[in-house]
Amino acid sequence: MPSQDKQPKRRAKHVEVRQDARDLADKRVAEKKIVDKIVYWIVGILVVLILGGVLIGALYVHTALQPIDRHSTKKVDISVPLGASNEQIGETLVKQKVIKNAKIFTYYVKSHNFSAFQAGFYELKPSMSVKEVANQLSNGGSQISKHRVLVKEGITIDQIGDQIAKKTPYSKKAFLKLMKDQTFAKQLAKKYPDLLASSMAKKNVRYHLEGYLYPATYNYYDGLSLKGLVRQMVAQENTYMKSYYKKIKSEGLTVQQVLTLASLCEREGNNASDRAKIAGVFFNRIAAGMPLQSDISVMYALNTHKTHLYNKDTAVKSPYNLYKNKGYGPGPFNSPSIASVHAVLNPKSRAMGYLYFVADLKTGKVYYSQNFEEHTSTNTGIQTKNNSVN
């Protein structure tokens, strides 16, 4: 009976299939347990890493908010320019070693609702926390720096170098080297073409910025670069000269020529009236093809100051010697005041035909002459009078 012989075999096969299914299920359960353990470990590690990162981050922020050196007695002058952002202020504070981290500073002032800090000068310390720094900045600073560089009317770049060496960490040598830096001068000329184009076009110029460093008092603060200080001076010159550019052009002059005559008038005259008359004399001499014959030009050529000049002095070989050379020369001889610029552009008494002038050094009075004979006579009279007084 064939049907009865095949039935046990079918049952055996069913049993084997069920056993395989159970084995597979058991295997999957075992694998799932392994996977779960791996997942748990990974999640656990990630949690530990995240918590560790949070703790490290919190510690980093906490440390960054603390003083650089709690025991430091150092004081640092910080300048906050008008319109400076919190990010820029933070970078300055880091650069000057007042705080540790600019981003943390920015985060702190933002999260604590500090409003925009006022422009001014601040005296801060490395012993201050970010909170203390922010509080001081919010109180407002001084409008005057303790360190000020005075550029007087009529002083030369050489003399400005003395002031910079006295009032800043920069040496006179470094300043004069910068004044010779053609790349720096060209950068300034590109920014202020109306002001500096005529200077850059001249040859045999000792310093292209002579006459272009505006006479004023400049605040110096720690971290201000030498270039930054000079840029302030040139920017000021451009600001005050702007209103004269149109007139200079209409008169057929260049800025270089105007500042050259202004620098001579600055030193030759004692008041606005005399400077305007002296400017008239210079223009008359140029029109007549005569050299300007200013003692100021000779002293600049000699790079010295003298009360009296001798023939050997006025014969010095230099493009700046306007006893020998006609015209305006290479450029300005000092930093003239804006009043002297105004005098040059508004000369007086040209119609009088004055070609000479001489000043009484004791009284300061200036005498004008139309010819050499009259000039010699006046000069002799002044010397005789002063000698008799002595």
Side-chain angles (χ1 to χ4, degrees):
M1 298 175 60
S3 59
Q4 293 178 353
D5 295 338
K6 293 180 179 179
Q7 189 65 25
K9 293 181 179 179
R10 289 195 184 100
R11 289 176 181 173
K13 287 182 178 180
H14 288 311
V15 171
E16 290 176 1
V17 170
R18 286 197 295 271
Q19 184 63 43
D20 291 342
R22 283 196 295 271
D23 291 343
L24 180 61
D26 291 341
K27 183 178 181 181
R28 286 178 177 175
V29 169
E31 289 176 348
K32 185 176 183 301
K33 289 181 178 180
I34 293 172
V35 170
D36 288 343
K37 287 182 178 180
I38 294 173
V39 170
Y40 292 149
W41 272 103
I42 291 174
V43 171
I45 291 171
L46 288 175
V47 169
V48 171
L49 289 175
I50 290 171
L51 290 175
V54 170
L55 291 173
I56 292 172
L59 180 61
Y60 178 78
V61 171
H62 175 75
T63 303
L65 292 172
Q66 301 308 306
I68 286 182
D69 183 356
R70 192 177 298 277
H71 304 290
S72 174
T73 58
K74 181 181 178 182
K75 297 178 181 180
V76 181
D77 290 328
I78 299 293
S79 171
V80 175
L82 186 65
S85 66
N86 290 337
E87 291 82 357
Q88 292 171 324
I89 296 172
E91 289 171 0
T92 298
L93 293 173
V94 170
K95 185 177 180 181
Q96 297 306 312
K97 294 181 172 52
V98 175
I99 63 173
K100 297 177 181 179
N101 189 289
K103 290 184 178 179
I104 298 299
F105 171 82
T106 303
Y107 162 77
Y108 180 85
V109 298
K110 184 177 181 179
S111 63
H112 287 74
N113 298 317
F114 281 95
S115 57
F117 297 124
Q118 298 180 36
F121 295 91
Y122 296 81
E123 187 179 84
L124 303 174
K125 303 174 184 177
S127 59
M128 299 171 71
S129 67
V130 168
K131 178 181 178 180
E132 291 171 323
V133 170
N135 284 333
Q136 187 155 330
L137 289 173
S138 67
N139 292 331
S142 168
Q143 297 305 307
I144 301 177
S145 168
K146 294 188 301 181
H147 308 290
R148 287 174 283 176
V149 177
L150 175 61
V151 178
K152 293 182 179 179
E153 293 91 345
I155 69 171
T156 65
I157 273 181
D158 188 77
Q159 293 169 315
I160 294 173
D162 292 329
Q163 288 297 309
I164 286 177
K166 185 177 179 181
K167 296 293 185 178
T168 77
Y170 303 110
S171 66
K172 180 178 180 179
K173 182 179 179 181
F175 172 70
L176 295 182
K177 182 179 179 181
L178 181 61
M179 293 298 96
K180 288 284 191 180
D181 188 334
Q182 293 300 299
T183 300
F184 179 59
K186 288 177 181 177
Q187 289 172 350
L188 290 171
K190 186 176 181 180
K191 187 172 184 179
Y192 305 108
D194 292 333
L195 179 68
L196 289 166
S198 56
S199 173
M200 298 305 295
K202 292 291 291 184
K203 296 180 179 180
N204 300 317
V205 176
R206 185 180 295 176
Y207 302 114
H208 279 292
L209 295 182
E210 186 77 84
Y212 294 86
L213 305 183
Y214 188 76
T217 299
Y218 297 90
N219 291 313
Y220 171 80
Y221 54 90
D222 290 344
L224 178 63
S225 68
L226 186 55
K227 287 183 178 180
L229 181 59
V230 173
R231 287 192 189 101
Q232 288 185 29
M233 298 177 182
V234 176
Q236 281 283 79
E237 183 74 19
N238 183 66
T239 297
Y240 283 94
M241 288 294 293
K242 275 182 180 178
S243 60
Y244 292 103
Y245 291 148
K246 187 175 180 180
K247 183 172 178 61
I248 290 172
K249 188 175 181 180
S250 68
E251 294 290 337
L253 298 168
T254 67
V255 173
Q256 184 83 334
Q257 291 170 337
V258 170
L259 289 178
T260 296
L261 293 187
S263 68
L264 295 176
C265 293
E266 183 71 41
R267 294 286 302 279
E268 296 281 14
N270 293 318
N271 54 63
S273 178
D274 274 330
R275 285 170 182 153
K277 288 181 180 179
I278 291 170
V281 172
F282 286 148
F283 279 121
N284 285 344
R285 292 181 73 91
I286 289 173
M290 301 171 64
L292 296 183
Q293 292 188 321
S294 168
D295 290 356
I296 304 303
S297 72
V298 176
M299 286 187 279
Y300 189 86
L302 295 170
N303 200 25
T304 189
H305 176 76
K306 289 188 173 186
T307 305
H308 300 289
L309 296 177
Y310 300 96
N311 290 336
K312 67 176 182 178
D313 296 324
T314 57
V316 63
K317 188 176 180 181
S318 169
Y320 282 97
N321 181 0
L322 299 188
Y323 263 82
K324 293 184 64 177
N325 302 295
K326 296 179 181 180
Y328 298 88
F333 300 89
N334 55 62
S335 294
S337 63
I338 203 68
S340 290
V341 172
H342 182 81
V344 169
L345 292 173
N346 298 274
K348 290 183 178 180
S349 306
R350 283 204 67 183
M352 297 296 294
Y354 293 135
L355 294 173
Y356 300 88
F357 67 89
V358 61
D360 185 332
L361 297 180
K362 290 199 172 183
T363 65
K365 184 176 180 179
V366 181
Y367 299 86
Y368 303 89
S369 306
Q370 295 173 329
N371 55 65
F372 184 70
E373 290 73 19
E374 183 182 352
H375 170 68
T376 302
S377 176
T378 301
N379 194 20
T380 301
I382 291 173
Q383 292 179 2
T384 301
K385 181 188 70 173
N386 289 339
N387 287 336
S388 64
V389 171
N390 292 337

